[in-house]
Amino acid sequence: MQHIKNIPAKDLVPGITGYYAHGTDMTFGLVEIKKNSNLPAHQHVHEQITYVLEGQLDMLIGDKECSLTPGMYYVIPSNTLHSAIAVTDCKVIDVFSPVREEYKSGFTQNEYRGIER
Amino acid sequence: MQHIKNIPAKDLVPGITGYYAHGTDMTFGLVEIKKNSNLPAHQHVHEQITYVLEGQLDMLIGDKECSLTPGMYYVIPSNTLHSAIAVTDCKVIDVFSPVREEYKSGFTQNEYRGIER
């Protein structure tokens, strides 16, 4: 038990900072996103569920555009290309299964340099 | 994509209502708990991560007592007995892996009648 912000922050890309807690089967993240920040298109084997706490996050998930506001969620299947742009400052919950092992240690922003689509 | 409150509510016990979204590997729940409501001790094979959005939720997890306030989380391992009482009205995120298949359909409150400990 601890406050999630006691976990060392991960700066995914400029303006997008995550705090990630890990179990055996899942990773739970609180993600803070500055207005106009952009998470380039990427994909991963992990299933992801994104839930918006605050703000407006516009996402492109596969070929589907969606605009998520507080209380809205999206289940992003394994290996599905997705990207996001923050229309406002946002707070978001991102959960993943299996665990995002690479989030347990430091990583550079290079892994989010984006995938052309 | 939808608002989580568009999902039919599950009344776990009197005063505790959940809205559960399911992926392939995870279940994501928003749970609203009225002050003084009590979730009796129970356990399940699913790993659970509980994160408090609002209020104070006192939990007994295994033999550990903890008082969770906004921003705090707890990773509850598989098959670990846990119970909760809401000191105030609470909003909580509960995520589970694997999927809580039994939450996909209606269920009675009887499954939370509690386990003696």
Side-chain angles (χ1 to χ4, degrees), chain A residues 1-4 7 21 23-26 28 30 47 49 51 53 66 68 70-75 95-97, chain B residues 1-4 7 21 23-26 28 30 47 49 51 53 66 68 70-75 95-97:
Chain A
M1 175 193 71
Q2 64 173 329
H3 196 287
I4 201 161
I7 299 171
T24 299
D25 297 324
M26 295 182 286
F28 181 99
L30 172 69
E47 180 175 75
I49 299 179
Y51 177 81
L53 296 173
C66 59
L68 300 178
M72 299 183 78
Y73 71 94
Y74 203 106
V75 178
V95 293
F96 304 93
S97 182
Chain B
M1 175 193 71
Q2 63 174 329
H3 196 286
I4 200 160
I7 299 170
T24 299
D25 297 323
M26 294 182 287
F28 180 100
L30 173 70
E47 180 175 76
I49 300 178
Y51 177 81
L53 296 173
C66 58
L68 300 176
M72 298 181 80
Y73 71 94
Y74 203 106
V75 178
V95 293
F96 304 93
S97 182

Side-chain angles (χ1 to χ4, degrees), chain A residues 6 8 12 21-22 35 38 62 71 95 100 106:
Chain A
N6 287 342
L12 273 59
H22 306 283
K35 178 178 175 177
N38 170 39
V95 293
R100 299 243 11 199

